[in-house]
Amino acid sequence: SPDWFAGGTVLVLRRISLTLETWDAFDPAGKELVLGRRLDTGAPLTGTVETDLADLAAVDEQGFPVIDDTAHIRLAKARTPAEVMLRRGFNFDAGPGADGSADVGLLFAAYQRDPRTAFVPVQRRLAATDAMNRWVSHIGSAVFALPPGCAEGGFVWEALLA
């Protein structure tokens, strides 16, 4: 990266719409299979609390993966150090859309060093086989360069303007 961006971060921000009417009609066990997480706690199907790491190697008594190959949690997990991102989701409810259906979803923020090695490979996996694709639509995306912090007495973007 350029010298002026050393220590900076890249933010990918996406607006994701959820087809709530058909998602809500889906049974709870099916939702957990799609997500790879428990609905009541947010825990991975292999854990007890939301912050537990998913055991992607776990199998059930018949030998099938506990977390399905198309589960969102499996596909979204970083597979290399370069894919590590700080991810945060923010739910939105914009009320009824023009057609009367709910305009709800997620504003998804992914902070990373390089979207080419982090966001893009993960997104390709999700686009190819994520079971959630039946219920989500990506409405818009943006990429932002976030500058590094500044020294005392300095200012943000000082290196760019020097």
Side-chain angles (χ1 to χ4, degrees), residues 56-132:
L56 300 179
V59 295
D60 64 18
E61 53 278 350
Q62 287 89 26
F64 292 105
V66 174
I67 298 176
D68 190 75
D69 289 343
T70 63
H72 185 77
I73 193 173
R74 178 182 293 275
L75 297 168
K77 181 175 175 23
R79 295 183 180 173
T80 69
E83 288 183 3
V84 173
M85 297 178 270
L86 172 63
R87 301 173 295 183
R88 295 292 178 262
F90 304 93
N91 295 322
F92 72 84
D93 183 345
D99 64 357
S101 63
D103 183 6
V104 298
L106 188 73
L107 294 176
F108 175 76
Y111 300 87
Q112 65 233 271
R113 287 180 189 233
D114 186 343
R116 295 169 297 184
T117 60
F119 186 82
V120 171
V122 172
Q123 184 55 44
R124 283 187 177 143
R125 282 196 303 273
L126 293 170
T129 60
D130 187 1
M132 277 297 295

